[in-house]
Amino acid sequence: QEGMPQTLSSTSMFTPCGFSPHLHTSKEGEQGGLIFQDGNLTSASLDALIQHLIPTTDYYPEKAYIFTFLLSSRLFIEPHELLSRVCHKCIEQQRLDDPVLDKARIRKFGPKILQLLTEWTETFPYDFQEERMIGHLKDMIHRIAPCDEAYWKKMNQLLQTLNQKLATLSHGQEGIVKISAAVSDKLVAFKTKPPSIQREILSVCSDPYTLAQQLTHVELERLSHIGPEEFVQAFVHKDPLDGTKTCFSEQKKTSNLEAYVKWFNRLCYLVATEICMPAKKKQRAQVIEFFIDVARECFNIGNFNSLMAIISGMNMSPVSRLKKTWSKVKTAKFFILEHQMDPTGNFYNYRTALRGAAHRSLTAHSNREKIVIPFFSLLIKDIYFLNEGCANRLPNGHVNFEKFLELAKQVGEFITWKQVECPFEQDPNIIHYLHTAPIFTEDG
């Protein structure tokens, strides 16, 4: 592990094939309170793990380790506290407090600490919405920059990129909030009977392929705002070694994750509403067949979240009880899709299809083939059970690192998928309709 880290593109760092849990023991590692089994880091004290994160003149942590530790450490220590400890240890180890700095030494260390900070800001940008985090970054640069002018430039670049990213993300959040406000007003107006001049989906978009593409647009847009840490923060319990507080007492920072689940629910109800709206059986059957085609296109694209929402909408009791309507529907295609998403065997069929899509994504030549949008609530459930099923700490107080390697694998795969650029052209008219069309409540 000599010299500078290999710069992997952020995607290859997370893909299951590039994700190597085999963290090679460095010399310090074996004595530093890190426990290895078959070359894999399995457990260690929190202090030892923090030490393992810190670069020196001739050591840089593996990319997989950085991601796994930054993802899971927030169960034990807040990000600002972690960064503060990292900076303090660097100052101590590299003697950055000395009146005369050892320039040659710091020139070896400088690029590495900058690399670590860059990786942190790129993967967990939301951590840096806190002033204290930015404070630590600036303090570090002030200490090492006297040894090399180029460090100023690197740091400015890092901060600029971070600002842009945070601006884009918060802009997206504001958009989602505005839409939600507009929608809730309409829900109220819609409990009794729909206004006679209600637009319906077929008048906005009559081509199933186009609608599936626009749904994929919405999904990827929403996914892009979810920070990997939200999966961990959704399940924060009290840390047994710190009885005073949960790590994120002020709030669970999971707003994007929750907004995404709300979108899924909205899509379910929208499908059910569109089917129940027309007065004539024949038209209702037509809407059902239209949505079956949309669902099938979603499946082909790799958009399993919209697919599942559409199937769930059709299975809602107000829709499934319309026996005469369904008798007019060619249901063979629907049964094929339903079979794909059948929950039997812990969603065995869906998981097989998902693996197929994930594999296609790895070998893809175009963005079109890279799309994998998992059935999101099942992903959360899997992570929840992984979290519930294993302790965060072992009886000796060590951090159970094996658990977090598994967690990082699941979240890491998700990160790869959420970074895909949507290859389809956006149709603002259809997207607006999807977000704002009034929907019935279950009673309605």
Side-chain angles (χ1 to χ4, degrees):
Q1 291 192 320
E2 296 300 290
M4 269 301 279
Q6 329 79 337
T7 47
L8 278 154
S9 71
S10 56
T11 43
S12 65
M13 143 186 184
F14 298 118
T15 45
C17 64
F19 182 95
S20 85
H22 306 288
L23 301 160
H24 312 296
T25 53
S26 63
K27 283 297 160 279
E28 309 139 275
E30 280 149 350
Q31 308 120 27
L34 301 173
I35 311 295
F36 289 85
Q37 208 176 340
D38 305 326
N40 294 336
L41 177 52
T42 53
S43 71
S45 67
L46 187 58
D47 283 340
L49 291 170
I50 295 174
Q51 184 58 57
H52 197 55
L53 180 71
I54 294 171
T56 63
T57 50
D58 53 10
Y59 163 75
Y60 189 79
E62 283 209 356
K63 216 167 173 87
Y65 177 76
I66 296 172
F67 175 63
T68 305
F69 184 60
L70 290 181
L71 178 70
S72 54
S73 60
R74 58 200 69 241
L75 289 167
F76 308 100
I77 179 173
E78 288 193 46
H80 72 88
E81 219 176 310
L82 175 62
L83 185 54
S84 161
R85 282 173 69 172
V86 167
C87 291
H88 281 303
K89 287 195 166 184
C90 287
I91 291 165
E92 231 170 83
Q93 287 163 18
Q94 302 304 325
R95 299 199 285 277
L96 297 178
D97 268 344
D98 288 4
V100 179
L101 294 176
D102 176 348
K103 284 197 176 178
R105 179 190 174 123
I106 289 171
R107 280 204 192 97
K108 273 186 177 170
F109 165 76
K112 290 183 179 162
I113 187 68
L114 283 170
Q115 171 77 11
L116 180 69
L117 297 172
T118 305
E119 282 185 46
W120 193 335
T121 55
E122 279 172 357
T123 319
F124 299 97
Y126 289 122
D127 285 353
F128 293 85
Q129 283 172 314
E130 258 201 88
E131 279 302 304
R132 286 181 283 194
M133 293 290 282
I134 302 290
H136 294 314
L137 288 184
K138 290 184 171 162
D139 177 55
M140 184 47 71
I141 194 66
H142 277 290
R143 289 170 185 279
I144 62 173
C147 297
D148 193 334
E149 281 296 301
Y151 295 162
W152 287 119
K153 212 169 126 186
K154 287 273 316 227
M155 187 56 113
N156 274 331
Q157 224 172 341
L158 179 153
L159 289 170
Q160 251 175 325
T161 314
L162 178 63
N163 278 332
Q164 277 166 338
K165 202 159 189 180
L166 286 173
T168 317
L169 291 170
S170 71
H171 175 72
Q173 281 173 310
E174 282 159 25
I176 287 170
V177 171
K178 276 198 198 99
I179 286 170
S180 311
V183 170
S184 53
D185 301 343
K186 285 198 179 155
L187 265 177
V188 182
F190 220 53
K191 278 188 176 129
T192 46
K193 67 180 212 294
S196 53
I197 42 175
Q198 165 64 18
R199 288 169 76 199
E200 24 96 67
I201 188 79
L202 287 167
S203 67
V204 181
C205 175
S206 58
D207 173 38
Y209 189 60
T210 308
L211 186 60
Q213 292 189 340
Q214 296 310 305
L215 285 169
T216 303
H217 238 295
V218 175
E219 298 278 351
L220 285 171
E221 159 74 17
R222 298 234 157 186
L223 278 184
S224 70
H225 292 119
I226 298 173
E229 70 284 355
E230 295 191 40
F231 289 102
V232 175
Q233 281 156 199
F235 310 120
V236 167
H237 295 306
K238 277 196 165 67
D239 180 3
L241 293 193
D242 176 13
T244 51
K245 58 177 177 36
T246 55
C247 297
F248 289 88
S249 36
E250 71 288 13
Q251 93 206 83
K252 285 191 180 171
K253 307 186 173 83
T254 54
S255 51
N256 300 298
L257 198 134
E258 285 158 28
Y260 189 46
V261 173
K262 274 192 188 130
W263 149 253
F264 178 90
N265 293 336
R266 169 170 174 80
L267 184 52
C268 292
Y269 277 93
L270 181 65
V271 169
T273 300
E274 293 286 345
I275 294 169
C276 294
M277 196 92 74
K280 294 194 170 64
K281 286 193 287 289
K282 196 178 155 194
Q283 285 173 299
R284 289 198 294 269
Q286 193 192 352
V287 178
I288 290 180
E289 291 195 330
F290 172 71
F291 274 118
I292 292 171
D293 288 338
V294 175
R296 196 172 60 166
E297 291 304 341
C298 286
F299 180 83
N300 293 337
I301 288 171
N303 177 357
F304 297 105
N305 203 49
S306 293
L307 164 65
M308 198 56 169
I310 294 170
I311 292 176
S312 306
M314 289 184 183
N315 281 325
M316 278 173 71
S317 56
V319 178
S320 59
R321 68 183 173 76
L322 302 170
K323 297 285 180 275
K324 290 176 187 165
T325 299
W326 279 97
S327 70
K328 296 192 174 307
V329 174
K330 301 185 197 70
T331 46
K333 284 194 286 194
F334 180 61
F335 293 138
I336 291 170
L337 286 172
E338 233 187 354
H339 177 66
Q340 280 295 347
M341 302 310 271
D342 180 5
T344 317
N346 192 9
F347 288 92
Y348 179 81
N349 297 345
Y350 158 70
R351 291 182 191 277
T352 308
L354 180 71
R355 275 201 301 277
H359 185 73
R360 173 184 76 180
S361 181
L362 283 178
T363 56
H365 298 296
S366 66
N367 272 351
R368 172 84 180 65
E369 296 171 325
K370 275 189 195 149
I371 298 172
V372 184
I373 300 168
F375 168 30
F376 193 65
S377 45
L378 188 62
L379 177 69
I380 291 181
K381 200 170 125 186
D382 286 347
I383 290 175
Y384 176 76
F385 281 117
L386 169 65
N387 192 59
E388 288 297 297
C390 312
N392 289 339
R393 287 189 190 264
L394 302 175
N396 64 1
H398 271 193
V399 171
N400 180 2
F401 204 72
E402 239 173 326
K403 167 181 176 173
F404 297 121
L405 281 169
E406 186 49 46
L407 183 71
K409 204 160 88 185
Q410 293 193 17
V411 176
E413 206 172 16
F414 166 80
I415 292 187
T416 312
W417 298 335
K418 86 177 187 113
Q419 289 172 340
V420 175
E421 290 277 320
C422 190
F424 310 120
E425 209 162 314
Q426 204 172 357
D427 183 323
N429 197 13
I430 299 175
I431 287 183
H432 183 72
Y433 184 85
L434 288 171
H435 281 312
T436 58
I439 48 180
F440 284 133
T441 58
E442 184 120 20
D443 294 344

